[in-house]
Amino acid sequence: MSDPSFLRKRFVILISGQGSNMQKIVENCLADRCPADVLAVISNRPASTGLKWASERGIATQVVSHTDFSSRNTFDAALKSIIDQYSPDYVLLAGFMRVLTPEFVQHYAGRLVNIHPSLLPAFPGLHTHAQAIAKGVQAHGCTVHFVTPVLDHGPIIAQGVVPVLSEDTPESLAERVLTLEHIVYPQVAIWLAQGQVHLMPDQRVNVDAIHSRIFVSEQSV
Ligand code: GRF
């Protein structure tokens, strides 16, 4: 391990839906492929199927429903107080579909990580796969990045690239990207757990002993 004072890192994962990225990270942690513990999985939606999956594996789960709060600030404050009960080293956003306030983001500066289904800085926001097809780009993918107050923006830790095929629909492209997300995000989680990821003063990322942080889909054009 690159960190001599090695202790298992503590993750809290936020989801909104199926949490397939969360599941891949948890599986690695439970199988000791990732030296971290997932202390809790939290969703803003009671119907998130990922909550049941995590609970069945003995992980604490909680719902903080945004509909119970009158403002973004009060929702984020409640979420923060629950997350902080677990003293996480990193908070991983994995399909968490809420815009977070600058105060929340600042509180977790350097510890808040997101996966976005595009090659940032292209296509922030929603409907990224449809945007990629509409623009005619030939390469699309996913980005794992530190979160800043600007939506879908921030120092890039790793990216995954897939081809866009002439017959692609937003759905087929989403499926190809998600398959790669399941490789990229778990690998970043391992680097985080091993203490290898450093945010540099110039706001770029360095990962100890890793020279290439691009992952390419096995499917060729
Ligand atoms: C993924 O494409 C993720 O990047 C996006 O939501 C999708 C579903 O993710 N933000 P998951 O299956 O809930 O992890």
Side-chain angles (χ1 to χ4, degrees):
M1 297 297 146
S2 56
D3 180 357
S5 59
F6 179 72
L7 289 170
R8 283 177 79 84
K9 291 280 193 289
R10 300 165 68 85
F11 291 160
V12 167
I13 304 182
L14 307 192
I15 64 171
S16 294
Q18 63 175 347
S20 66
N21 280 291
M22 173 276 292
Q23 293 180 24
K24 299 293 175 189
I25 294 168
V26 166
E27 281 170 355
N28 274 354
C29 293
L30 292 176
D32 254 349
R33 291 186 292 267
C34 179
D37 294 312
V38 177
L39 278 303
V41 174
I42 301 171
S43 176
N44 64 311
R45 291 196 184 127
S48 292
T49 52
L51 289 173
K52 181 167 179 283
W53 184 95
S55 169
E56 285 169 357
R57 280 148 189 86
I59 295 169
T61 59
Q62 262 179 282
V63 175
V64 188
S65 176
H66 59 277
T67 57
D68 292 344
F69 296 86
S70 58
S71 71
R72 231 174 249 293
N73 280 332
T74 53
F75 169 73
D76 280 11
L79 188 58
K80 178 160 76 74
S81 72
I82 289 171
I83 293 171
D84 284 350
Q85 289 170 11
Y86 298 98
S87 305
D89 294 294
Y90 291 103
V91 178
L92 307 181
L93 309 181
F96 183 67
M97 304 302 284
R98 293 291 300 171
V99 175
L100 295 161
T101 56
E103 292 72 22
F104 182 98
V105 172
Q106 193 51 43
H107 180 72
Y108 296 106
R111 298 192 289 142
L112 189 59
V113 175
N114 182 44
I115 186 160
H116 181 74
S118 80
L119 292 174
L120 291 175
F123 312 134
L126 298 174
H127 312 301
T128 57
H129 311 300
Q131 289 188 63
I133 290 170
K135 289 292 181 195
V137 298
Q138 298 298 294
H140 183 48
C142 63
T143 303
V144 178
H145 64 99
F146 283 112
V147 176
T148 67
V150 183
L151 182 68
D152 298 327
H153 175 271
I156 291 170
I157 305 173
Q159 291 187 304
V161 180
V162 305
V164 181
L165 306 180
S166 56
E167 66 272 24
D168 264 329
T169 61
E171 292 71 29
S172 65
L173 190 51
E175 195 180 321
R176 190 174 312 117
V177 171
L178 191 61
T179 300
L180 198 55
E181 289 184 42
H182 294 163
I183 295 168
V184 180
Y185 211 177
Q187 180 59 69
V188 169
I190 290 171
W191 292 337
L192 292 169
Q194 293 181 166
Q196 285 171 270
V197 181
H198 307 287
L199 191 48
M200 309 306 282
D202 66 1
Q203 291 302 292
R204 291 192 302 162
V205 168
N206 188 45
V207 180
D208 292 339
I210 304 296
H211 300 294
S212 172
R213 294 179 271 129
I214 184 85
F215 295 78
V216 181
S217 161
E218 280 173 13
Q219 181 167 3
S220 59
V221 285

